[in-house]
Amino acid sequence: AHLTARKKAHIMKFHYPLFALALTSWQGADAFHVPSRNAMLPSTALFGKSRKARRMQKVEKQTKGRSQQFYEAIQDAQDKKAEVKEKPKDEDDEMDEDEKRREALKANAEARMQARPELSTMIVDEDTGIEIVAQGQSVLDVVTRKAVKLSNLGPEYRLAQMFPGVPPDIRDKYRLDWSTVEVPEMVERLREACSVKLEDGSRGIPPHPNVANSGIDFILANRDLLGDRMKQTLGRLTMKAASDGNQEEADEMNMLWKNYLTLENHISAPFRQIIQDAEGRVGPNFGNLELTKYCSGDLYERVGNYIVLKGMVAHWEKKVVDANYYENTPKTRDNTVSLLSRGDPRRYLPDPPILFTLKECTQVCAMAQKMCQQFVETEELYADFPPEVVFLEDALKVKGGAALRKYMIDEFCPSRGITPEGLREGMRRFHQQLASMQTDPYGDLTKKVGDLCRAMAVGTEDERDPFIRYDASVKPG
């Protein structure tokens, strides 16, 4: 596919979805750039043309689509016979050529990934002048200001970094009583845990980016209870204090808010590094069903590979729904806003850098589902997974909240030797780790896990939500 100069300048930027970008390996394009549609015409291209001619040109641009090679690549991967206009070649020769092409494109994609900077950093977009994040080979630890370092003690310790727990004594010391705790108490206990002795002898929040070890322990002990809800609440309390004219309280709350965000980023950094490494393995191999060749490894690596594949499935299933709604909903004056707000708004660009038609999204989604299903059915890849990850796969096949809870209590937990309370906490901690990932493309998977957590909690003490009063505003009393 043809890449314009503007698109080349956007290579390796953090905000592009991995799973759409991985498709470029079938066209020889950049491993981190979405294959382009037709190049944008000059602004004078339609000058002097009739209205009918303009409509015809627009239809031609929309239907011209991607090269046939793109669709043939997906069909070949699905063991379907591709339509070839030329005279058929010998099957063995054709397989050899296809294998060579795949290997060459894979090597090119991997080389481009290795060419990324060592650390993610801020760069200025040449076209807009806006600062954006350029993704590096390693995730930046906001506390040490260095690349995240995974444990040298072995794969078990790296899995523990991916899903961090807390020692029993630390848990007993800092764990909140969710059945009675209210937000003011949570904020004060968080403030106390995050405070240290300052240079002037007083006690307070350390200067950024320093953090207290007791703050790390407190958040780990309550990671499943805090997370994004505490982020939002601290932000609202900060703005409320400023709105009330209490600048001193607003400044103190802002320091606590910033310190909490720093702690969250620091704790989730190993998870994000493991997922990023998994993206480098799965992305260039999208469409390759020989999963054991690139998805094998230690348990933490295989879990990372699965999360990437599962995120890919959730992402493209949502794109299929959006594309179907957009293409099959009659356009009227009443639904203009809903149509414009549905799906990725980049579809309206003159030269869309994304896949968005129903045909494209359906084919990519089908391949993603097939890869994920084959991963789950391969025992050497999936058999020893942690309970919360296995439950995610199983629970998405159960219809209805009551049926889900019955399956959890009667079948899943007894077979794994765990309690429903322990599984609910594990799923909430898993959800908080996913919430630390970028929304595109992991937002859809994160939402599904969050919905599962709420469905699992119905009828239990975990259903209680002290943050609910702070979702929109803080009411006196």
Side-chain angles (χ1 to χ4, degrees), residues 161-177:
Q161 286 181 292
M162 189 177 189
F163 299 104
V166 61
D169 57 332
I170 299 297
R171 181 185 177 91
D172 293 340
K173 180 179 180 180
Y174 290 114
R175 184 71 174 177
L176 298 170
D177 184 358

mmCIF file with all atom_site columns, all heavy atoms in Angstrom, residues 161-177:
data_model
loop_
_atom_site.group_PDB
_atom_site.id
_atom_site.type_symbol
_atom_site.label_atom_id
_atom_site.label_alt_id
_atom_site.label_comp_id
_atom_site.label_asym_id
_atom_site.label_entity_id
_atom_site.label_seq_id
_atom_site.pdbx_PDB_ins_code
_atom_site.Cartn_x
_atom_site.Cartn_y
_atom_site.Cartn_z
_atom_site.occupancy
_atom_site.B_iso_or_equiv
_atom_site.pdbx_formal_charge
_atom_site.auth_seq_id
_atom_site.auth_comp_id
_atom_site.auth_asym_id
_atom_site.auth_atom_id
_atom_site.pdbx_PDB_model_num
ATOM 1   N N   . GLN A 1 161 ? 5.155   -10.072 39.334 1.00 0.00 ? 161 GLN A N   1
ATOM 2   C CA  . GLN A 1 161 ? 5.169   -8.652  38.960 1.00 0.00 ? 161 GLN A CA  1
ATOM 3   C C   . GLN A 1 161 ? 3.976   -8.316  38.075 1.00 0.00 ? 161 GLN A C   1
ATOM 4   O O   . GLN A 1 161 ? 3.439   -7.209  38.140 1.00 0.00 ? 161 GLN A O   1
ATOM 5   C CB  . GLN A 1 161 ? 6.466   -8.322  38.213 1.00 0.00 ? 161 GLN A CB  1
ATOM 6   C CG  . GLN A 1 161 ? 7.701   -8.247  39.090 1.00 0.00 ? 161 GLN A CG  1
ATOM 7   C CD  . GLN A 1 161 ? 8.936   -7.888  38.270 1.00 0.00 ? 161 GLN A CD  1
ATOM 8   O OE1 . GLN A 1 161 ? 9.394   -8.673  37.435 1.00 0.00 ? 161 GLN A OE1 1
ATOM 9   N NE2 . GLN A 1 161 ? 9.472   -6.708  38.516 1.00 0.00 ? 161 GLN A NE2 1
ATOM 10  N N   . MET A 1 162 ? 3.586   -9.259  37.250 1.00 0.00 ? 162 MET A N   1
ATOM 11  C CA  . MET A 1 162 ? 2.462   -9.036  36.339 1.00 0.00 ? 162 MET A CA  1
ATOM 12  C C   . MET A 1 162 ? 1.149   -8.936  37.099 1.00 0.00 ? 162 MET A C   1
ATOM 13  O O   . MET A 1 162 ? 0.298   -8.097  36.788 1.00 0.00 ? 162 MET A O   1
ATOM 14  C CB  . MET A 1 162 ? 2.411   -10.183 35.323 1.00 0.00 ? 162 MET A CB  1
ATOM 15  C CG  . MET A 1 162 ? 1.435   -9.975  34.187 1.00 0.00 ? 162 MET A CG  1
ATOM 16  S SD  . MET A 1 162 ? 1.506   -11.344 33.007 1.00 0.00 ? 162 MET A SD  1
ATOM 17  C CE  . MET A 1 162 ? 0.477   -10.693 31.678 1.00 0.00 ? 162 MET A CE  1
ATOM 18  N N   . PHE A 1 163 ? 0.974   -9.797  38.115 1.00 0.00 ? 163 PHE A N   1
ATOM 19  C CA  . PHE A 1 163 ? -0.220  -9.787  38.958 1.00 0.00 ? 163 PHE A CA  1
ATOM 20  C C   . PHE A 1 163 ? 0.229   -9.652  40.411 1.00 0.00 ? 163 PHE A C   1
ATOM 21  O O   . PHE A 1 163 ? 0.271   -10.636 41.157 1.00 0.00 ? 163 PHE A O   1
ATOM 22  C CB  . PHE A 1 163 ? -1.040  -11.060 38.765 1.00 0.00 ? 163 PHE A CB  1
ATOM 23  C CG  . PHE A 1 163 ? -1.538  -11.259 37.365 1.00 0.00 ? 163 PHE A CG  1
ATOM 24  C CD1 . PHE A 1 163 ? -0.938  -12.177 36.522 1.00 0.00 ? 163 PHE A CD1 1
ATOM 25  C CD2 . PHE A 1 163 ? -2.600  -10.510 36.890 1.00 0.00 ? 163 PHE A CD2 1
ATOM 26  C CE1 . PHE A 1 163 ? -1.400  -12.363 35.229 1.00 0.00 ? 163 PHE A CE1 1
ATOM 27  C CE2 . PHE A 1 163 ? -3.068  -10.687 35.596 1.00 0.00 ? 163 PHE A CE2 1
ATOM 28  C CZ  . PHE A 1 163 ? -2.466  -11.616 34.759 1.00 0.00 ? 163 PHE A CZ  1
ATOM 29  N N   . PRO A 1 164 ? 0.598   -8.443  40.845 1.00 0.00 ? 164 PRO A N   1
ATOM 30  C CA  . PRO A 1 164 ? 1.186   -8.273  42.180 1.00 0.00 ? 164 PRO A CA  1
ATOM 31  C C   . PRO A 1 164 ? 0.189   -8.530  43.296 1.00 0.00 ? 164 PRO A C   1
ATOM 32  O O   . PRO A 1 164 ? -0.958  -8.071  43.254 1.00 0.00 ? 164 PRO A O   1
ATOM 33  C CB  . PRO A 1 164 ? 1.640   -6.806  42.169 1.00 0.00 ? 164 PRO A CB  1
ATOM 34  C CG  . PRO A 1 164 ? 0.757   -6.141  41.165 1.00 0.00 ? 164 PRO A CG  1
ATOM 35  C CD  . PRO A 1 164 ? 0.479   -7.174  40.121 1.00 0.00 ? 164 PRO A CD  1
ATOM 36  N N   . GLY A 1 165 ? 0.642   -9.281  44.289 1.00 0.00 ? 165 GLY A N   1
ATOM 37  C CA  . GLY A 1 165 ? -0.147  -9.525  45.485 1.00 0.00 ? 165 GLY A CA  1
ATOM 38  C C   . GLY A 1 165 ? 0.454   -8.768  46.653 1.00 0.00 ? 165 GLY A C   1
ATOM 39  O O   . GLY A 1 165 ? 1.220   -7.818  46.486 1.00 0.00 ? 165 GLY A O   1
ATOM 40  N N   . VAL A 1 166 ? 0.144   -9.199  47.865 1.00 0.00 ? 166 VAL A N   1
ATOM 41  C CA  . VAL A 1 166 ? 0.646   -8.514  49.063 1.00 0.00 ? 166 VAL A CA  1
ATOM 42  C C   . VAL A 1 166 ? 0.786   -9.545  50.175 1.00 0.00 ? 166 VAL A C   1
ATOM 43  O O   . VAL A 1 166 ? -0.051  -10.450 50.312 1.00 0.00 ? 166 VAL A O   1
ATOM 44  C CB  . VAL A 1 166 ? -0.337  -7.389  49.472 1.00 0.00 ? 166 VAL A CB  1
ATOM 45  C CG1 . VAL A 1 166 ? -1.705  -7.938  49.804 1.00 0.00 ? 166 VAL A CG1 1
ATOM 46  C CG2 . VAL A 1 166 ? 0.214   -6.569  50.617 1.00 0.00 ? 166 VAL A CG2 1
ATOM 47  N N   . PRO A 1 167 ? 1.847   -9.473  50.982 1.00 0.00 ? 167 PRO A N   1
ATOM 48  C CA  . PRO A 1 167 ? 2.021   -10.412 52.093 1.00 0.00 ? 167 PRO A CA  1
ATOM 49  C C   . PRO A 1 167 ? 0.874   -10.298 53.096 1.00 0.00 ? 167 PRO A C   1
ATOM 50  O O   . PRO A 1 167 ? 0.276   -9.231  53.257 1.00 0.00 ? 167 PRO A O   1
ATOM 51  C CB  . PRO A 1 167 ? 3.350   -9.976  52.717 1.00 0.00 ? 167 PRO A CB  1
ATOM 52  C CG  . PRO A 1 167 ? 4.066   -9.239  51.636 1.00 0.00 ? 167 PRO A CG  1
ATOM 53  C CD  . PRO A 1 167 ? 3.001   -8.567  50.830 1.00 0.00 ? 167 PRO A CD  1
ATOM 54  N N   . PRO A 1 168 ? 0.555   -11.392 53.788 1.00 0.00 ? 168 PRO A N   1
ATOM 55  C CA  . PRO A 1 168 ? -0.578  -11.377 54.729 1.00 0.00 ? 168 PRO A CA  1
ATOM 56  C C   . PRO A 1 168 ? -0.468  -10.302 55.804 1.00 0.00 ? 168 PRO A C   1
ATOM 57  O O   . PRO A 1 168 ? -1.485  -9.681  56.159 1.00 0.00 ? 168 PRO A O   1
ATOM 58  C CB  . PRO A 1 168 ? -0.530  -12.783 55.350 1.00 0.00 ? 168 PRO A CB  1
ATOM 59  C CG  . PRO A 1 168 ? 0.151   -13.629 54.315 1.00 0.00 ? 168 PRO A CG  1
ATOM 60  C CD  . PRO A 1 168 ? 1.154   -12.731 53.652 1.00 0.00 ? 168 PRO A CD  1
ATOM 61  N N   . ASP A 1 169 ? 0.746   -10.071 56.350 1.00 0.00 ? 169 ASP A N   1
ATOM 62  C CA  . ASP A 1 169 ? 0.865   -9.076  57.410 1.00 0.00 ? 169 ASP A CA  1
ATOM 63  C C   . ASP A 1 169 ? 0.596   -7.664  56.895 1.00 0.00 ? 169 ASP A C   1
ATOM 64  O O   . ASP A 1 169 ? -0.025  -6.844  57.586 1.00 0.00 ? 169 ASP A O   1
ATOM 65  C CB  . ASP A 1 169 ? 2.253   -9.154  58.054 1.00 0.00 ? 169 ASP A CB  1
ATOM 66  C CG  . ASP A 1 169 ? 3.367   -8.982  57.036 1.00 0.00 ? 169 ASP A CG  1
ATOM 67  O OD1 . ASP A 1 169 ? 3.162   -9.325  55.853 1.00 0.00 ? 169 ASP A OD1 1
ATOM 68  O OD2 . ASP A 1 169 ? 4.458   -8.486  57.411 1.00 0.00 ? 169 ASP A OD2 1
ATOM 69  N N   . ILE A 1 170 ? 1.046   -7.367  55.671 1.00 0.00 ? 170 ILE A N   1
ATOM 70  C CA  . ILE A 1 170 ? 0.787   -6.058  55.078 1.00 0.00 ? 170 ILE A CA  1
ATOM 71  C C   . ILE A 1 170 ? -0.700  -5.907  54.766 1.00 0.00 ? 170 ILE A C   1
ATOM 72  O O   . ILE A 1 170 ? -1.303  -4.837  54.974 1.00 0.00 ? 170 ILE A O   1
ATOM 73  C CB  . ILE A 1 170 ? 1.615   -5.869  53.791 1.00 0.00 ? 170 ILE A CB  1
ATOM 74  C CG1 . ILE A 1 170 ? 3.106   -5.958  54.106 1.00 0.00 ? 170 ILE A CG1 1
ATOM 75  C CG2 . ILE A 1 170 ? 1.291   -4.546  53.124 1.00 0.00 ? 170 ILE A CG2 1
ATOM 76  C CD1 . ILE A 1 170 ? 3.618   -4.884  55.036 1.00 0.00 ? 170 ILE A CD1 1
ATOM 77  N N   . ARG A 1 171 ? -1.302  -6.982  54.315 1.00 0.00 ? 171 ARG A N   1
ATOM 78  C CA  . ARG A 1 171 ? -2.738  -6.943  54.014 1.00 0.00 ? 171 ARG A CA  1
ATOM 79  C C   . ARG A 1 171 ? -3.548  -6.683  55.282 1.00 0.00 ? 171 ARG A C   1
ATOM 80  O O   . ARG A 1 171 ? -4.485  -5.858  55.268 1.00 0.00 ? 171 ARG A O   1
ATOM 81  C CB  . ARG A 1 171 ? -3.158  -8.265  53.376 1.00 0.00 ? 171 ARG A CB  1
ATOM 82  C CG  . ARG A 1 171 ? -4.641  -8.340  53.000 1.00 0.00 ? 171 ARG A CG  1
ATOM 83  C CD  . ARG A 1 171 ? -5.005  -9.731  52.490 1.00 0.00 ? 171 ARG A CD  1
ATOM 84  N NE  . ARG A 1 171 ? -6.413  -9.838  52.197 1.00 0.00 ? 171 ARG A NE  1
ATOM 85  C CZ  . ARG A 1 171 ? -6.964  -9.588  51.019 1.00 0.00 ? 171 ARG A CZ  1
ATOM 86  N NH1 . ARG A 1 171 ? -6.208  -9.197  50.010 1.00 0.00 ? 171 ARG A NH1 1
ATOM 87  N NH2 . ARG A 1 171 ? -8.266  -9.717  50.836 1.00 0.00 ? 171 ARG A NH2 1
ATOM 88  N N   . ASP A 1 172 ? -3.200  -7.355  56.369 1.00 0.00 ? 172 ASP A N   1
ATOM 89  C CA  . ASP A 1 172 ? -3.922  -7.162  57.628 1.00 0.00 ? 172 ASP A CA  1
ATOM 90  C C   . ASP A 1 172 ? -3.770  -5.726  58.137 1.00 0.00 ? 172 ASP A C   1
ATOM 91  O O   . ASP A 1 172 ? -4.704  -5.176  58.749 1.00 0.00 ? 172 ASP A O   1
ATOM 92  C CB  . ASP A 1 172 ? -3.409  -8.134  58.688 1.00 0.00 ? 172 ASP A CB  1
ATOM 93  C CG  . ASP A 1 172 ? -3.747  -9.580  58.352 1.00 0.00 ? 172 ASP A CG  1
ATOM 94  O OD1 . ASP A 1 172 ? -4.665  -9.796  57.537 1.00 0.00 ? 172 ASP A OD1 1
ATOM 95  O OD2 . ASP A 1 172 ? -3.074  -10.484 58.876 1.00 0.00 ? 172 ASP A OD2 1
ATOM 96  N N   . LYS A 1 173 ? -2.637  -5.124  57.860 1.00 0.00 ? 173 LYS A N   1
ATOM 97  C CA  . LYS A 1 173 ? -2.371  -3.775  58.358 1.00 0.00 ? 173 LYS A CA  1
ATOM 98  C C   . LYS A 1 173 ? -3.127  -2.710  57.576 1.00 0.00 ? 173 LYS A C   1
ATOM 99  O O   . LYS A 1 173 ? -3.628  -1.735  58.170 1.00 0.00 ? 173 LYS A O   1
ATOM 100 C CB  . LYS A 1 173 ? -0.864  -3.494  58.301 1.00 0.00 ? 173 LYS A CB  1
ATOM 101 C CG  . LYS A 1 173 ? -0.469  -2.115  58.797 1.00 0.00 ? 173 LYS A CG  1
ATOM 102 C CD  . LYS A 1 173 ? 1.039   -1.936  58.731 1.00 0.00 ? 173 LYS A CD  1
ATOM 103 C CE  . LYS A 1 173 ? 1.450   -0.548  59.218 1.00 0.00 ? 173 LYS A CE  1
ATOM 104 N NZ  . LYS A 1 173 ? 2.937   -0.371  59.157 1.00 0.00 ? 173 LYS A NZ  1
ATOM 105 N N   . TYR A 1 174 ? -3.218  -2.856  56.269 1.00 0.00 ? 174 TYR A N   1
ATOM 106 C CA  . TYR A 1 174 ? -3.738  -1.783  55.426 1.00 0.00 ? 174 TYR A CA  1
ATOM 107 C C   . TYR A 1 174 ? -5.096  -2.070  54.780 1.00 0.00 ? 174 TYR A C   1
ATOM 108 O O   . TYR A 1 174 ? -5.710  -1.149  54.237 1.00 0.00 ? 174 TYR A O   1
ATOM 109 C CB  . TYR A 1 174 ? -2.737  -1.477  54.303 1.00 0.00 ? 174 TYR A CB  1
ATOM 110 C CG  . TYR A 1 174 ? -1.466  -0.823  54.777 1.00 0.00 ? 174 TYR A CG  1
ATOM 111 C CD1 . TYR A 1 174 ? -0.246  -1.491  54.681 1.00 0.00 ? 174 TYR A CD1 1
ATOM 112 C CD2 . TYR A 1 174 ? -1.476  0.458   55.310 1.00 0.00 ? 174 TYR A CD2 1
ATOM 113 C CE1 . TYR A 1 174 ? 0.940   -0.896  55.098 1.00 0.00 ? 174 TYR A CE1 1
ATOM 114 C CE2 . TYR A 1 174 ? -0.298  1.067   55.727 1.00 0.00 ? 174 TYR A CE2 1
ATOM 115 C CZ  . TYR A 1 174 ? 0.909   0.388   55.619 1.00 0.00 ? 174 TYR A CZ  1
ATOM 116 O OH  . TYR A 1 174 ? 2.074   0.984   56.040 1.00 0.00 ? 174 TYR A OH  1
ATOM 117 N N   . ARG A 1 175 ? -5.586  -3.304  54.814 1.00 0.00 ? 175 ARG A N   1
ATOM 118 C CA  . ARG A 1 175 ? -6.803  -3.638  54.074 1.00 0.00 ? 175 ARG A CA  1
ATOM 119 C C   . ARG A 1 175 ? -8.007  -2.877  54.615 1.00 0.00 ? 175 ARG A C   1
ATOM 120 O O   . ARG A 1 175 ? -8.256  -2.841  55.825 1.00 0.00 ? 175 ARG A O   1
ATOM 121 C CB  . ARG A 1 175 ? -7.059  -5.138  54.153 1.00 0.00 ? 175 ARG A CB  1
ATOM 122 C CG  . ARG A 1 175 ? -8.254  -5.628  53.339 1.00 0.00 ? 175 ARG A CG  1
ATOM 123 C CD  . ARG A 1 175 ? -7.999  -5.571  51.856 1.00 0.00 ? 175 ARG A CD  1
ATOM 124 N NE  . ARG A 1 175 ? -9.094  -6.164  51.086 1.00 0.00 ? 175 ARG A NE  1
ATOM 125 C CZ  . ARG A 1 175 ? -9.139  -6.192  49.766 1.00 0.00 ? 175 ARG A CZ  1
ATOM 126 N NH1 . ARG A 1 175 ? -8.147  -5.658  49.054 1.00 0.00 ? 175 ARG A NH1 1
ATOM 127 N NH2 . ARG A 1 175 ? -10.160 -6.738  49.141 1.00 0.00 ? 175 ARG A NH2 1
ATOM 128 N N   . LEU A 1 176 ? -8.772  -2.264  53.707 1.00 0.00 ? 176 LEU A N   1
ATOM 129 C CA  . LEU A 1 176 ? -9.975  -1.530  54.069 1.00 0.00 ? 176 LEU A CA  1
ATOM 130 C C   . LEU A 1 176 ? -11.130 -2.500  54.291 1.00 0.00 ? 176 LEU A C   1
ATOM 131 O O   . LEU A 1 176 ? -11.241 -3.526  53.617 1.00 0.00 ? 176 LEU A O   1
ATOM 132 C CB  . LEU A 1 176 ? -10.343 -0.539  52.961 1.00 0.00 ? 176 LEU A CB  1
ATOM 133 C CG  . LEU A 1 176 ? -9.321  0.564   52.665 1.00 0.00 ? 176 LEU A CG  1
ATOM 134 C CD1 . LEU A 1 176 ? -9.716  1.300   51.385 1.00 0.00 ? 176 LEU A CD1 1
ATOM 135 C CD2 . LEU A 1 176 ? -9.219  1.539   53.828 1.00 0.00 ? 176 LEU A CD2 1
ATOM 136 N N   . ASP A 1 177 ? -12.026 -2.154  55.227 1.00 0.00 ? 177 ASP A N   1
ATOM 137 C CA  . ASP A 1 177 ? -13.233 -2.937  55.448 1.00 0.00 ? 177 ASP A CA  1
ATOM 138 C C   . ASP A 1 177 ? -14.303 -2.435  54.489 1.00 0.00 ? 177 ASP A C   1
ATOM 139 O O   . ASP A 1 177 ? -14.947 -1.415  54.733 1.00 0.00 ? 177 ASP A O   1
ATOM 140 C CB  . ASP A 1 177 ? -13.698 -2.794  56.905 1.00 0.00 ? 177 ASP A CB  1
ATOM 141 C CG  . ASP A 1 177 ? -14.907 -3.661  57.217 1.00 0.00 ? 177 ASP A CG  1
ATOM 142 O OD1 . ASP A 1 177 ? -15.410 -4.342  56.289 1.00 0.00 ? 177 ASP A OD1 1
ATOM 143 O OD2 . ASP A 1 177 ? -15.365 -3.650  58.373 1.00 0.00 ? 177 ASP A OD2 1
#
